[in-house]
Amino acid sequence: MNHDMPFSSAGGESLLSTHSVYGAPCWVSLTSRDLKATEEFYSAVLGWQWRPARLGEPFRIALADGAPVAGIAAVAAMWQMAVAWTPYFAVRSADDAVSRAAERGGTAAVGPISLPPGRAALLADRDGATFGIWEGELFSDWETWRTSRPAFIRLHTRDAFDAAIFYGEVFDWAGADGCCEVQYEGDEVVLRSQGDVVARIESGALGAAPDPAIRPHWQVHFAVGDVAACARTAERHGGSVLHLGDEEAVLRDADGAQFTVTARGLVS
């Protein structure tokens, strides 16, 4: 869940609402079993620092060079949730988004629930890929987070074009009020917000595959300076390397959550 969105309303800072960026990816969040172990792993591998979130002790905000990059929630064991990285999309109404997803074959795993100053839900699309929605305030420097692209998301799914129709209808990507543009580039569907690539959708995942890395899922990418060094450090700290290339590595953290590190400048 998006329990750890780094909202900030102190000090009179101006706040951005999900109404302004409707349909765009707006955050990434990790569920964890052990907060301390998770902090130690990602501090070593990605160099993150940490600060508390407003929702209490089990929640943390990850900082990269002092800027918010992701949220961590140590609720996997407590709430019997999977350990996983999840992207969140901005919506005007969590209730409407859940209804639109259900009407198109998606399912709601959790919510919508109230998490002041907003509402959230955890959903799965019709091929089983998990994603979240958020209705409410975004943190004051969210635009910096968006344009610097510390995180990028890619959907590996059975049929990219069918998935684009599902998400496009749920988030009104093609509507007059949507903030995103959908383009078909070769075998991929590319989502842009204000000219920047914010997500990609590609075909090839297998719904019945025993390996969860091959089944439909959203993959979260983080930009790094040295891909190979991140892979080595992940292994030294209890993680594993699923794939290692010159410019990208697919890793699992010590808790089992899968993520990708991509050479800086190639994230989008």
Side-chain angles (χ1 to χ4, degrees), residues 141 143 259:
D141 54 351
E143 192 64 27
F259 65 102

Side-chain angles (χ1 to χ4, degrees), residues 37-203:
T38 298
E39 287 183 350
E40 290 174 352
F41 178 88
Y42 287 96
S43 292
V45 176
L46 299 177
W48 287 351
Q49 304 85 42
W50 306 91
R51 70 169 172 81
R54 283 176 52 178
L55 292 174
E57 185 60 29
F59 310 106
R60 293 288 187 276
I61 304 304
L63 306 173
D65 299 321
V69 62
I72 309 293
V75 298
M78 182 192 324
W79 291 359
Q80 298 184 340
M81 297 174 69
V83 173
W85 278 102
T86 303
Y88 279 76
F89 293 83
V91 298
R92 290 194 183 94
S93 166
D95 292 310
D96 288 350
V98 170
S99 295
R100 288 162 74 103
E103 289 167 359
R104 291 157 178 81
T107 57
V110 180
I113 59 174
S114 178
L115 295 169
R119 303 183 75 230
L122 190 65
L123 310 175
D125 66 24
R126 52 190 171 214
D127 283 322
T130 301
F131 65 100
I133 56 171
W134 174 253
E135 168 202 348
E137 297 172 356
L138 301 170
F139 56 99
S140 56
D141 54 351
W142 179 85
E143 192 64 27
T144 301
W145 179 86
R146 183 188 73 83
T147 55
S148 64
R149 290 190 292 279
F152 175 79
I153 60 173
R154 184 188 298 270
L155 176 61
H156 300 269
T157 191
R158 176 186 55 82
D159 184 329
F161 304 104
D162 181 72
I165 292 170
F166 172 85
Y167 287 95
E169 292 179 344
V170 172
F171 297 127
D172 197 25
W173 283 346
D177 296 330
C179 75
C180 298
E181 300 174 356
V182 180
Q183 295 181 326
Y184 299 90
E185 299 181 2
D187 295 331
E188 285 191 328
V189 177
V190 181
L191 182 67
R192 286 182 169 84
S193 176
Q194 300 180 32
D196 296 318
V197 176
V198 293
R200 292 182 181 271
I201 302 174
E202 63 178 31
S203 302

Side-chain angles (χ1 to χ4, degrees), residues 210-243:
D211 185 347
I214 300 174
R215 293 198 295 265
H217 68 283
W218 280 98
Q219 186 79 351
V220 176
H221 295 239
F222 296 104
V224 299
D226 190 329
V227 169
C230 287
R232 291 193 299 269
T233 305
E235 289 185 315
R236 286 200 303 269
H237 287 79
S240 57
V241 179
L242 304 182
H243 168 77

Side-chain angles (χ1 to χ4, degrees), residues 2-38:
N2 196 20
H3 317 289
D4 34 14
M5 181 75 77
F7 313 107
S8 177
S9 57
E13 295 175 321
S14 61
L15 288 165
L16 184 67
S17 165
T18 55
H19 289 250
S20 304
V21 292
Y22 174 44
C26 64
W27 190 237
V28 293
S29 182
L30 171 66
T31 49
S32 163
R33 295 188 184 93
D34 185 331
L35 189 62
K36 185 175 185 221
T38 298

